[in-house]
PDB file of all heavy atoms in Angstrom:
ATOM      1  N   ARG N 100      -3.071   2.744   6.118  1.00  0.00           N
ATOM      2  CA  ARG N 100      -2.242   3.048   4.923  1.00  0.00           C
ATOM      3  C   ARG N 100      -2.039   4.544   4.758  1.00  0.00           C
ATOM      4  O   ARG N 100      -0.955   5.013   4.476  1.00  0.00           O
ATOM      5  CB  ARG N 100      -2.891   2.523   3.653  1.00  0.00           C
ATOM      6  CG  ARG N 100      -2.687   1.085   3.406  1.00  0.00           C
ATOM      7  CD  ARG N 100      -3.580   0.654   2.248  1.00  0.00           C
ATOM      8  NE  ARG N 100      -3.856  -0.757   2.321  1.00  0.00           N
ATOM      9  CZ  ARG N 100      -3.121  -1.697   1.741  1.00  0.00           C
ATOM     10  NH1 ARG N 100      -2.101  -1.331   1.009  1.00  0.00           N
ATOM     11  NH2 ARG N 100      -3.390  -2.956   1.885  1.00  0.00           N
ATOM     12  N   PRO N 185       7.904  -9.632  -3.001  1.00  0.00           N
ATOM     13  CA  PRO N 185       7.374  -8.288  -2.774  1.00  0.00           C
ATOM     14  C   PRO N 185       6.922  -8.126  -1.318  1.00  0.00           C
ATOM     15  O   PRO N 185       6.382  -9.047  -0.726  1.00  0.00           O
ATOM     16  CB  PRO N 185       6.137  -8.244  -3.683  1.00  0.00           C
ATOM     17  CG  PRO N 185       6.295  -9.374  -4.672  1.00  0.00           C
ATOM     18  CD  PRO N 185       7.150 -10.405  -3.992  1.00  0.00           C
ATOM     19  N   PHE N 186       7.201  -6.968  -0.755  1.00  0.00           N
ATOM     20  CA  PHE N 186       6.764  -6.651   0.613  1.00  0.00           C
ATOM     21  C   PHE N 186       6.109  -5.308   0.553  1.00  0.00           C
ATOM     22  O   PHE N 186       6.689  -4.328   0.094  1.00  0.00           O
ATOM     23  CB  PHE N 186       7.986  -6.649   1.543  1.00  0.00           C
ATOM     24  CG  PHE N 186       7.640  -6.465   2.985  1.00  0.00           C
ATOM     25  CD1 PHE N 186       6.805  -7.366   3.646  1.00  0.00           C
ATOM     26  CD2 PHE N 186       8.138  -5.378   3.696  1.00  0.00           C
ATOM     27  CE1 PHE N 186       6.481  -7.209   4.991  1.00  0.00           C
ATOM     28  CE2 PHE N 186       7.818  -5.210   5.040  1.00  0.00           C
ATOM     29  CZ  PHE N 186       6.996  -6.111   5.683  1.00  0.00           C
ATOM     30  N   PRO N 187       4.855  -5.204   0.995  1.00  0.00           N
ATOM     31  CA  PRO N 187       4.131  -3.929   0.849  1.00  0.00           C
ATOM     32  C   PRO N 187       4.779  -2.772   1.597  1.00  0.00           C
ATOM     33  O   PRO N 187       5.335  -2.990   2.681  1.00  0.00           O
ATOM     34  CB  PRO N 187       2.730  -4.250   1.405  1.00  0.00           C
ATOM     35  CG  PRO N 187       2.885  -5.512   2.187  1.00  0.00           C
ATOM     36  CD  PRO N 187       4.042  -6.254   1.623  1.00  0.00           C
ATOM     37  N   GLY N 188       4.687  -1.598   1.001  1.00  0.00           N
ATOM     38  CA  GLY N 188       5.220  -0.404   1.664  1.00  0.00           C
ATOM     39  C   GLY N 188       4.756  -0.279   3.132  1.00  0.00           C
ATOM     40  O   GLY N 188       5.574   0.007   3.996  1.00  0.00           O
ATOM     41  N   PRO N 189       3.461  -0.453   3.410  1.00  0.00           N
ATOM     42  CA  PRO N 189       2.992  -0.290   4.791  1.00  0.00           C
ATOM     43  C   PRO N 189       3.410  -1.476   5.675  1.00  0.00           C
ATOM     44  O   PRO N 189       3.052  -1.559   6.852  1.00  0.00           O
ATOM     45  CB  PRO N 189       1.466  -0.262   4.674  1.00  0.00           C
ATOM     46  CG  PRO N 189       1.158  -0.105   3.248  1.00  0.00           C
ATOM     47  CD  PRO N 189       2.305  -0.637   2.489  1.00  0.00           C
ATOM     48  N   GLY N 190       4.170  -2.395   5.128  1.00  0.00           N
ATOM     49  CA  GLY N 190       4.795  -3.485   5.902  1.00  0.00           C
ATOM     50  C   GLY N 190       3.805  -4.319   6.683  1.00  0.00           C
ATOM     51  O   GLY N 190       2.702  -4.636   6.215  1.00  0.00           O
ATOM     52  N   VAL N 193      -0.304  -4.230   7.247  1.00  0.00           N
ATOM     53  CA  VAL N 193      -1.361  -4.870   6.486  1.00  0.00           C
ATOM     54  C   VAL N 193      -1.459  -6.399   6.815  1.00  0.00           C
ATOM     55  O   VAL N 193      -2.269  -7.112   6.269  1.00  0.00           O
ATOM     56  CB  VAL N 193      -1.282  -4.669   4.955  1.00  0.00           C
ATOM     57  CG1 VAL N 193      -1.316  -3.179   4.627  1.00  0.00           C
ATOM     58  CG2 VAL N 193      -0.033  -5.302   4.376  1.00  0.00           C
ATOM     59  N   ARG N 194      -0.593  -6.828   7.728  1.00  0.00           N
ATOM     60  CA  ARG N 194      -0.609  -8.235   8.100  1.00  0.00           C
ATOM     61  C   ARG N 194      -0.982  -8.430   9.592  1.00  0.00           C
ATOM     62  O   ARG N 194      -0.914  -9.522  10.101  1.00  0.00           O
ATOM     63  CB  ARG N 194       0.727  -8.906   7.784  1.00  0.00           C
ATOM     64  CG  ARG N 194       0.937  -8.914   6.277  1.00  0.00           C
ATOM     65  CD  ARG N 194       2.184  -9.589   5.848  1.00  0.00           C
ATOM     66  NE  ARG N 194       2.323  -9.435   4.416  1.00  0.00           N
ATOM     67  CZ  ARG N 194       3.410  -9.717   3.736  1.00  0.00           C
ATOM     68  NH1 ARG N 194       4.463 -10.173   4.358  1.00  0.00           N
ATOM     69  NH2 ARG N 194       3.449  -9.530   2.419  1.00  0.00           N
ATOM     70  N   TRP N 228       5.038 -16.692  -5.390  1.00  0.00           N
ATOM     71  CA  TRP N 228       5.116 -15.219  -5.494  1.00  0.00           C
ATOM     72  C   TRP N 228       5.307 -14.590  -4.099  1.00  0.00           C
ATOM     73  O   TRP N 228       6.168 -13.761  -3.909  1.00  0.00           O
ATOM     74  CB  TRP N 228       3.840 -14.745  -6.156  1.00  0.00           C
ATOM     75  CG  TRP N 228       3.673 -13.280  -6.254  1.00  0.00           C
ATOM     76  CD1 TRP N 228       2.972 -12.466  -5.385  1.00  0.00           C
ATOM     77  CD2 TRP N 228       4.147 -12.402  -7.283  1.00  0.00           C
ATOM     78  NE1 TRP N 228       2.988 -11.169  -5.809  1.00  0.00           N
ATOM     79  CE2 TRP N 228       3.707 -11.103  -6.978  1.00  0.00           C
ATOM     80  CE3 TRP N 228       4.926 -12.608  -8.435  1.00  0.00           C
ATOM     81  CZ2 TRP N 228       4.009 -10.013  -7.768  1.00  0.00           C
ATOM     82  CZ3 TRP N 228       5.215 -11.519  -9.225  1.00  0.00           C
ATOM     83  CH2 TRP N 228       4.769 -10.253  -8.883  1.00  0.00           C
ATOM     84  N   GLN N 229       4.466 -14.982  -3.161  1.00  0.00           N
ATOM     85  CA  GLN N 229       4.561 -14.450  -1.804  1.00  0.00           C
ATOM     86  C   GLN N 229       4.182 -15.510  -0.796  1.00  0.00           C
ATOM     87  O   GLN N 229       3.302 -16.329  -1.060  1.00  0.00           O
ATOM     88  CB  GLN N 229       3.637 -13.224  -1.645  1.00  0.00           C
ATOM     89  CG  GLN N 229       4.310 -11.915  -2.020  1.00  0.00           C
ATOM     90  CD  GLN N 229       3.353 -10.742  -1.955  1.00  0.00           C
ATOM     91  OE1 GLN N 229       2.380 -10.729  -2.689  1.00  0.00           O
ATOM     92  NE2 GLN N 229       3.641  -9.773  -1.116  1.00  0.00           N
ATOM     93  N   PHE N 231       3.562 -15.618   3.554  1.00  0.00           N
ATOM     94  CA  PHE N 231       3.567 -14.816   4.784  1.00  0.00           C
ATOM     95  C   PHE N 231       2.523 -15.298   5.763  1.00  0.00           C
ATOM     96  O   PHE N 231       1.690 -16.158   5.461  1.00  0.00           O
ATOM     97  CB  PHE N 231       3.399 -13.332   4.467  1.00  0.00           C
ATOM     98  CG  PHE N 231       2.164 -12.994   3.649  1.00  0.00           C
ATOM     99  CD1 PHE N 231       0.978 -12.742   4.290  1.00  0.00           C
ATOM    100  CD2 PHE N 231       2.223 -12.921   2.250  1.00  0.00           C
ATOM    101  CE1 PHE N 231      -0.150 -12.412   3.549  1.00  0.00           C
ATOM    102  CE2 PHE N 231       1.103 -12.567   1.510  1.00  0.00           C
ATOM    103  CZ  PHE N 231      -0.117 -12.319   2.186  1.00  0.00           C
ATOM    104  N   ARG N 256      -0.556 -17.681   4.405  1.00  0.00           N
ATOM    105  CA  ARG N 256      -0.941 -17.380   3.017  1.00  0.00           C
ATOM    106  C   ARG N 256       0.246 -17.552   2.098  1.00  0.00           C
ATOM    107  O   ARG N 256       1.308 -16.919   2.294  1.00  0.00           O
ATOM    108  CB  ARG N 256      -1.496 -15.953   2.957  1.00  0.00           C
ATOM    109  CG  ARG N 256      -2.037 -15.559   1.565  1.00  0.00           C
ATOM    110  CD  ARG N 256      -3.403 -15.056   1.679  1.00  0.00           C
ATOM    111  NE  ARG N 256      -3.957 -14.427   0.473  1.00  0.00           N
ATOM    112  CZ  ARG N 256      -4.719 -15.069  -0.417  1.00  0.00           C
ATOM    113  NH1 ARG N 256      -4.969 -16.374  -0.283  1.00  0.00           N
ATOM    114  NH2 ARG N 256      -5.206 -14.412  -1.458  1.00  0.00           N
ATOM    115  N   ASP N 262       1.754 -11.038 -11.882  1.00  0.00           N
ATOM    116  CA  ASP N 262       1.830  -9.576 -11.819  1.00  0.00           C
ATOM    117  C   ASP N 262       1.065  -9.005 -10.602  1.00  0.00           C
ATOM    118  O   ASP N 262       0.851  -7.798 -10.554  1.00  0.00           O
ATOM    119  CB  ASP N 262       1.281  -8.966 -13.094  1.00  0.00           C
ATOM    120  CG  ASP N 262      -0.109  -9.496 -13.412  1.00  0.00           C
ATOM    121  OD1 ASP N 262      -0.694 -10.170 -12.531  1.00  0.00           O
ATOM    122  OD2 ASP N 262      -0.603  -9.249 -14.529  1.00  0.00           O
ATOM    123  N   ALA N 263       0.612  -9.867  -9.711  1.00  0.00           N
ATOM    124  CA  ALA N 263      -0.162  -9.466  -8.503  1.00  0.00           C
ATOM    125  C   ALA N 263      -1.587  -8.994  -8.817  1.00  0.00           C
ATOM    126  O   ALA N 263      -2.349  -8.733  -7.893  1.00  0.00           O
ATOM    127  CB  ALA N 263       0.579  -8.376  -7.681  1.00  0.00           C
ATOM    128  N   MET N 264      -1.934  -8.892 -10.116  1.00  0.00           N
ATOM    129  CA  MET N 264      -3.311  -8.500 -10.452  1.00  0.00           C
ATOM    130  C   MET N 264      -4.272  -9.654 -10.173  1.00  0.00           C
ATOM    131  O   MET N 264      -5.429  -9.435  -9.776  1.00  0.00           O
ATOM    132  CB  MET N 264      -3.438  -8.104 -11.931  1.00  0.00           C
ATOM    133  CG  MET N 264      -2.504  -6.987 -12.346  1.00  0.00           C
ATOM    134  SD  MET N 264      -2.856  -5.467 -11.480  1.00  0.00           S
ATOM    135  CE  MET N 264      -4.347  -4.965 -12.367  1.00  0.00           C
ATOM    136  N   ALA N 266      -4.056 -13.876  -8.522  1.00  0.00           N
ATOM    137  CA  ALA N 266      -3.168 -14.805  -7.826  1.00  0.00           C
ATOM    138  C   ALA N 266      -3.937 -16.081  -7.507  1.00  0.00           C
ATOM    139  O   ALA N 266      -5.144 -16.071  -7.403  1.00  0.00           O
ATOM    140  CB  ALA N 266      -2.671 -14.154  -6.536  1.00  0.00           C
ATOM    141  N   LYS N 300      -7.085 -14.731  -5.825  1.00  0.00           N
ATOM    142  CA  LYS N 300      -7.426 -13.352  -6.141  1.00  0.00           C
ATOM    143  C   LYS N 300      -7.822 -13.301  -7.593  1.00  0.00           C
ATOM    144  O   LYS N 300      -7.005 -13.652  -8.441  1.00  0.00           O
ATOM    145  CB  LYS N 300      -6.208 -12.440  -5.901  1.00  0.00           C
ATOM    146  CG  LYS N 300      -6.435 -11.002  -6.370  1.00  0.00           C
ATOM    147  CD  LYS N 300      -5.218 -10.120  -6.137  1.00  0.00           C
ATOM    148  CE  LYS N 300      -5.509  -8.703  -6.600  1.00  0.00           C
ATOM    149  NZ  LYS N 300      -4.370  -7.811  -6.378  1.00  0.00           N
ATOM    150  N   ALA N 303     -10.490 -12.777  -3.330  1.00  0.00           N
ATOM    151  CA  ALA N 303      -9.687 -12.230  -2.212  1.00  0.00           C
ATOM    152  C   ALA N 303      -8.569 -11.346  -2.800  1.00  0.00           C
ATOM    153  O   ALA N 303      -8.230 -11.484  -3.969  1.00  0.00           O
ATOM    154  CB  ALA N 303      -9.108 -13.383  -1.406  1.00  0.00           C
ATOM    155  N   THR N 304      -8.002 -10.489  -1.986  1.00  0.00           N
ATOM    156  CA  THR N 304      -6.761  -9.832  -2.402  1.00  0.00           C
ATOM    157  C   THR N 304      -5.591 -10.638  -1.809  1.00  0.00           C
ATOM    158  O   THR N 304      -5.848 -11.527  -0.995  1.00  0.00           O
ATOM    159  CB  THR N 304      -6.680  -8.355  -1.897  1.00  0.00           C
ATOM    160  OG1 THR N 304      -6.884  -8.347  -0.480  1.00  0.00           O
ATOM    161  CG2 THR N 304      -7.726  -7.504  -2.565  1.00  0.00           C
ATOM    162  N   ILE N 305      -4.391 -10.349  -2.234  1.00  0.00           N
ATOM    163  CA  ILE N 305      -3.257 -11.110  -1.723  1.00  0.00           C
ATOM    164  C   ILE N 305      -3.098 -10.833  -0.236  1.00  0.00           C
ATOM    165  O   ILE N 305      -3.012 -11.753   0.592  1.00  0.00           O
ATOM    166  CB  ILE N 305      -1.962 -10.782  -2.522  1.00  0.00           C
ATOM    167  CG1 ILE N 305      -2.112 -11.278  -3.959  1.00  0.00           C
ATOM    168  CG2 ILE N 305      -0.768 -11.418  -1.844  1.00  0.00           C
ATOM    169  CD1 ILE N 305      -0.925 -10.978  -4.869  1.00  0.00           C
ATOM    170  N   GLU N 306      -3.031  -9.572   0.129  1.00  0.00           N
ATOM    171  CA  GLU N 306      -2.907  -9.197   1.543  1.00  0.00           C
ATOM    172  C   GLU N 306      -4.271  -9.257   2.204  1.00  0.00           C
ATOM    173  O   GLU N 306      -5.297  -9.182   1.516  1.00  0.00           O
ATOM    174  CB  GLU N 306      -2.348  -7.776   1.660  1.00  0.00           C
ATOM    175  CG  GLU N 306      -1.006  -7.570   0.959  1.00  0.00           C
ATOM    176  CD  GLU N 306       0.173  -8.281   1.661  1.00  0.00           C
ATOM    177  OE1 GLU N 306       0.014  -8.784   2.770  1.00  0.00           O
ATOM    178  OE2 GLU N 306       1.267  -8.328   1.019  1.00  0.00           O
ATOM    179  N   PHE N 307      -4.263  -9.345   3.541  1.00  0.00           N
ATOM    180  CA  PHE N 307      -5.544  -9.449   4.252  1.00  0.00           C
ATOM    181  C   PHE N 307      -6.133  -8.066   4.585  1.00  0.00           C
ATOM    182  O   PHE N 307      -7.246  -7.986   5.051  1.00  0.00           O
ATOM    183  CB  PHE N 307      -5.313 -10.232   5.577  1.00  0.00           C
ATOM    184  CG  PHE N 307      -5.728 -11.661   5.451  1.00  0.00           C
ATOM    185  CD1 PHE N 307      -5.299 -12.411   4.379  1.00  0.00           C
ATOM    186  CD2 PHE N 307      -6.517 -12.259   6.445  1.00  0.00           C
ATOM    187  CE1 PHE N 307      -5.720 -13.763   4.252  1.00  0.00           C
ATOM    188  CE2 PHE N 307      -6.906 -13.556   6.354  1.00  0.00           C
ATOM    189  CZ  PHE N 307      -6.486 -14.357   5.246  1.00  0.00           C
ATOM    190  N   ALA N 308      -5.339  -7.018   4.436  1.00  0.00           N
ATOM    191  CA  ALA N 308      -5.865  -5.710   4.820  1.00  0.00           C
ATOM    192  C   ALA N 308      -5.446  -4.675   3.797  1.00  0.00           C
ATOM    193  O   ALA N 308      -4.511  -4.912   3.021  1.00  0.00           O
ATOM    194  CB  ALA N 308      -5.331  -5.312   6.188  1.00  0.00           C
TER     195      ALA N 308
HETATM  196  P1  XMP K   1      -3.297  -6.991  -2.980  1.00  0.00           P
HETATM  197  O1  XMP K   1      -3.417  -7.270  -1.510  1.00  0.00           O
HETATM  198  O2  XMP K   1      -3.945  -5.704  -3.386  1.00  0.00           O
HETATM  199  O3  XMP K   1      -1.760  -6.821  -3.266  1.00  0.00           O
HETATM  200  O4  XMP K   1      -3.794  -8.152  -3.842  1.00  0.00           O
HETATM  201  C1  XMP K   1      -1.159  -6.882  -4.557  1.00  0.00           C
HETATM  202  C2  XMP K   1       0.338  -6.779  -4.385  1.00  0.00           C
HETATM  203  O5  XMP K   1       0.702  -5.458  -3.888  1.00  0.00           O
HETATM  204  C3  XMP K   1       1.320  -5.585  -2.594  1.00  0.00           C
HETATM  205  N1  XMP K   1       0.703  -4.511  -1.800  1.00  0.00           N
HETATM  206  C4  XMP K   1       1.266  -3.334  -1.580  1.00  0.00           C
HETATM  207  N2  XMP K   1       2.439  -2.844  -1.962  1.00  0.00           N
HETATM  208  N3  XMP K   1       1.942  -0.809  -0.841  1.00  0.00           N
HETATM  209  C5  XMP K   1       2.803  -1.586  -1.568  1.00  0.00           C
HETATM  210  O6  XMP K   1       3.901  -1.168  -1.862  1.00  0.00           O
HETATM  211  C6  XMP K   1       0.743  -1.227  -0.441  1.00  0.00           C
HETATM  212  O7  XMP K   1      -0.008  -0.513   0.224  1.00  0.00           O
HETATM  213  C7  XMP K   1       0.378  -2.570  -0.826  1.00  0.00           C
HETATM  214  N4  XMP K   1      -0.725  -3.297  -0.615  1.00  0.00           N
HETATM  215  C8  XMP K   1      -0.525  -4.490  -1.233  1.00  0.00           C
HETATM  216  C9  XMP K   1       1.005  -6.942  -2.081  1.00  0.00           C
HETATM  217  O8  XMP K   1       2.014  -7.434  -1.169  1.00  0.00           O
HETATM  218  C10 XMP K   1       0.897  -7.769  -3.356  1.00  0.00           C
HETATM  219  O9  XMP K   1       2.194  -8.131  -3.845  1.00  0.00           O
END
Side-chain angles (χ1 to χ4, degrees):
R100 279 171 204 268
F186 184 60
V193 300
R194 296 182 184 169
W228 175 265
Q229 270 175 299
F231 54 88
R256 183 126 169 96
D262 53 11
M264 302 296 285
K300 173 181 180 178
T304 55
I305 294 178
E306 304 289 350
F307 261 47

